[in-house]
Amino acid sequence: MSVTAPLGFRAAGIAAGIKENGNRDLALVVNEGPSRAAAAVFTANRVKAAPVRWTEQVITGGRLKAVVLNSGGANACTGSPGFQDTHATAEKVAEVLADSAGEIAVCSTGLIGLRLPMEPLLAGIDTAAAELSRDGGLAAADAIRTTDSVAKISFRRGEGGYMIGGMAKGAGMLAPSLATMLVVITTDADLDAAALDRALRAATSVSFDRLDADGCMSTNDTVILMASGATGITPAEQEFTTVLTEVCNDLTRQLLVDAEGASKAITIEVVGAASVRDAVVVGKSIARNNLLKCALHGEDPNWGRVLSAVGTTDAVFDADSLNVAINGIWVCRGGSNGEDRSKVDLRPRDIAITVDLAAGNHSATVWTTDLTAEYVHENSAYSS
Amino acid sequence: MSVTAPLGFRAAGIAAGIKENGNRDLALVVNEGPSRAAAAVFTANRVKAAPVRWTEQVITGGRLKAVVLNSGGANACTGSPGFQDTHATAEKVAEVLADSAGEIAVCSTGLIGLRLPMEPLLAGIDTAAAELSRDGGLAAADAIRTTDSVAKISFRRGEGGYMIGGMAKGAGMLAPSLATMLVVITTDADLDAAALDRALRAATSVSFDRLDADGCMSTNDTVILMASGATGITPAEQEFTTVLTEVCNDLTRQLLVDAEGASKAITIEVVGAASVRDAVVVGKSIARNNLLKCALHGEDPNWGRVLSAVGTTDAVFDADSLNVAINGIWVCRGGSNGEDRSKVDLRPRDIAITVDLAAGNHSATVWTTDLTAEYVHENSAYSS
């Protein structure tokens, strides 16, 4: 299902020979219309891969005919030649679809600094175009995997029967956005580009953006939303945003549990904050604290490391009023010892940390993983 | 030598029974004068341990008779009772020295959230006072160790023959300042508190503050500088600052090479920056990039991860003008591939990364370590 769950989309995922191991490495998602309204959000990293710079330009028109995605190479830090490679990729897709390159988005993921093997890539576009089908969503999701252990897909039905479907890749969640996250979401609802853009920004701000993010993002992160309008249904924007957020949250959860080398899925809920911004800042500070992530890996309810992370932020709080619960046990109350920490059971994979800043009534949830020896091993050997 | 290298200081380090393993855990450093001018810098963490809150008050007077330090417990997040414990500790030192508690600094390091065992601690102060000697510097340095594998000491002679000596503890350098760093530095030069404060801030800003710091600091970090004036020499402030910086850099290097579980000592030099601030921001962003730290552990010269870290900052640079050298090989030139990365030899323990922002003529150096499975193991089991 994935990106082909909504009407009006065909997709394919094939092995073009970009990856040396012969796995699928090229995906194509095509919007058959009648609408081709689209929106996208990109990495905040100032070192942007060539496909990001290309697609940022394309999306200013608010229309996309297709997205072509490759794994096996990020085409980042490849200079003008790399940008020309992206351009040639878009032109090739335009040619096989008899459309305009100016409405073709390009995404790449893999190692930074290497040129893509253009010959197999361009030939692969012919193959992918020939294999485009209404059943191609899963193959497309498979083709964008790098170190992902499983393909990530999701879909939801909205009011009146329109669909939203999506696929995602990304597995290096501990330094989250430093590993590329690519997401393509499709819908057969009929909304214009401005409405899609508002909905996408609202949905990603409470889902992908809260996955351990620390302000760092990869050179390639891209989330694309395309509408075919094939059902003729124009949903209320709020209802559409709600369904879209469910799809994004579902994909976020799949990214979290498939994070490289992680043994715990950690949900950090910050409550009692003076603002949502404060809650997010505190949540992210906790999420990127290596010492705490090690402690949780060791199933040690080390609330001191939680407080230490809170204390590095500029959020509104009084250190003597902080409360922390780990898996439901309030181990820290009023900034010091609370309930007996030996009551905390950290054996399950899912861990919930609740921090009460006692400074207001805003809240936010951030997700992260533990830090493990396996993470180190996987990321020590990645490019060798 | 350590803190007793300069004239006018006596010190002791003893086993008071705070640590369960019977190792030394209490240090006392006493200034015999004639001066007792002093300065200190503290953690920027807003969750401050009781001894930090105490010593911050004491140092406002610009005078210190003594510093008492314990390992085996941080006395952080212990509420009012914890603060009373610190106060009682200072009062006890004042009593045995027949002095004022208002000129006694207190430092603690160890686990957060636990009360200190006050009975052995107070009895230990009697023992330490009885053992104070001109040779006690090394024992004092030994007594403040937690996971440090060695005691860290340094001393330098200044113009005219005055001395600066110091001791340090701290071993959790990967999330640097989240593990407590305690430093006591002494001198027999004669400088007033304001001059000491200026010199200390200048010296720490280019040494301890550049050790992988990410804006995060522990709840207990403290650096204290005490002057006895015993030589009667009043050095030029600039010359004193230079010698003090050498002592701080020497201790910083010792902290770096003894970092928990690290197999590499990484020096990040950022050049061509539009400002020193930009150079430091870029250096710290690289220093805390888990993916890069894993790659360097795996001896993989992954310059793409360096650029990715640079791109997350707001420093002035053009992505197409960035140059990166790893151990002297310019693997990235003009934002893309430079010299052959296979020429980079990452087998030595010391690794040098040079980033040229090509945006100005300012520079800064930041130090960090690699990320290893051993780091995860040590920090998973710390409190169990």
Side-chain angles (χ1 to χ4, degrees), chain A residues 201-224:
Chain A
R201 288 178 194 279
T204 55
S205 72
V206 296
S207 55
F208 303 119
D209 285 355
R210 299 234 176 127
L211 186 58
D212 196 3
D214 57 358
C216 304
M217 304 190 92
S218 95
T219 51
N220 291 59
D221 292 339
T222 304
V223 183
I224 289 173

Side-chain angles (χ1 to χ4, degrees), chain B residues 261-304:
Chain B
S263 71
K264 302 290 185 189
I266 303 165
T267 301
I268 301 160
E269 188 186 17
V270 181
V271 302
S275 65
V276 170
R277 179 260 176 205
D278 271 12
V280 172
V281 165
V282 168
K284 289 183 176 179
S285 178
I286 296 167
R288 63 173 188 262
N289 184 316
N290 278 357
L291 288 173
L292 175 65
K293 288 150 99 78
C294 287
L296 294 174
H297 175 56
E299 304 187 348
D300 167 15
N302 196 320
W303 59 266

Side-chain angles (χ1 to χ4, degrees), chain A residues 45-47 77 113 178 289-291 294 300 305 307-308 311 313-315 317 335-337 371 375-376 379-380 383, chain B residues 45-47 77 113 178 289-291 294 300 305 307-308 311 313 315 317 335-337 341 371 375-376 379-380 383:
Chain A
N45 199 309
R46 293 169 58 205
V47 176
C77 306
L178 288 171
N289 184 316
N290 277 358
L291 287 173
C294 288
D300 167 16
R305 291 178 182 175
L307 255 60
S308 196
T313 72
D314 62 358
F317 69 84
S336 68
N337 256 310
L371 184 54
Y375 173 87
V376 175
N379 287 297
S380 298
S383 77
Chain B
N45 200 309
R46 293 169 60 205
V47 175
C77 305
L178 288 171
N289 184 316
N290 278 357
L291 288 173
C294 287
D300 167 15
R305 291 178 182 176
L307 255 60
S308 196
T313 71
F317 69 84
S336 68
N337 256 311
R341 44 174 277 154
L371 183 54
Y375 172 87
V376 175
N379 286 297
S380 298
S383 77

Side-chain angles (χ1 to χ4, degrees), chain B residues 101 131 133 136 270 278 303 330 377:
Chain B
E131 293 197 11
S133 81
V270 181
D278 271 12
W303 59 266
W330 288 92
H377 292 315

Side-chain angles (χ1 to χ4, degrees), chain B residues 105-315:
Chain B
V106 182
C107 300
S108 299
T109 178
L111 257 186
I112 297 176
L114 300 178
R115 294 280 301 279
L116 290 170
M118 289 305 291
E119 202 170 322
L121 196 159
L122 296 178
I125 289 171
D126 283 317
T127 311
E131 293 197 11
L132 282 170
S133 81
R134 286 285 301 140
D135 301 323
L138 191 54
D142 182 59
I144 60 175
R145 288 166 53 192
T146 52
T147 57
D148 304 67
S149 69
V150 293
K152 287 138 184 132
I153 62 170
S154 181
F155 59 92
R156 288 287 188 286
R157 189 176 299 274
E159 274 182 31
Y162 74 90
M163 294 285 287
I164 300 179
M167 65 180 186
K169 70 81 41 180
M173 285 304 121
L174 281 168
S177 2
L178 288 171
T180 293
M181 183 189 70
L182 297 182
V183 180
V184 177
I185 301 169
T186 55
T187 182
D188 48 21
D190 192 12
L191 287 160
D192 64 23
L196 294 175
D197 187 69
R198 285 190 296 271
L200 184 62
R201 288 178 193 279
T204 56
S205 72
V206 295
S207 55
F208 304 119
D209 285 355
R210 299 235 176 127
L211 186 57
D212 194 3
D214 59 357
C216 303
M217 304 191 91
S218 95
T219 52
N220 290 58
D221 292 340
T222 303
V223 183
I224 289 173
L225 172 60
M226 297 191 285
S228 70
T231 59
I233 299 170
T234 299
E237 204 171 312
Q238 172 127 27
E239 190 267 339
F240 180 80
T241 302
T242 300
V243 180
L244 180 64
T245 303
E246 284 174 21
V247 170
C248 291
N249 274 329
D250 185 16
L251 292 171
T252 298
R253 171 78 193 171
Q254 294 178 50
L255 292 167
L256 175 65
V257 297
D258 195 32
E260 282 173 355
S263 71
K264 302 290 185 189
I266 303 165
T267 301
I268 301 160
E269 188 186 17
V270 181
V271 302
S275 65
V276 170
R277 179 260 176 205
D278 271 12
V280 172
V281 165
V282 168
K284 289 183 176 179
S285 178
I286 296 167
R288 63 173 188 262
N289 184 316
N290 278 357
L291 288 173
L292 175 65
K293 288 150 99 78
C294 287
L296 294 174
H297 175 56
E299 304 187 348
D300 167 15
N302 196 320
W303 59 266
R305 291 178 182 176
V306 176
L307 255 60
S308 196
V310 174
T312 64
T313 71
D314 62 357

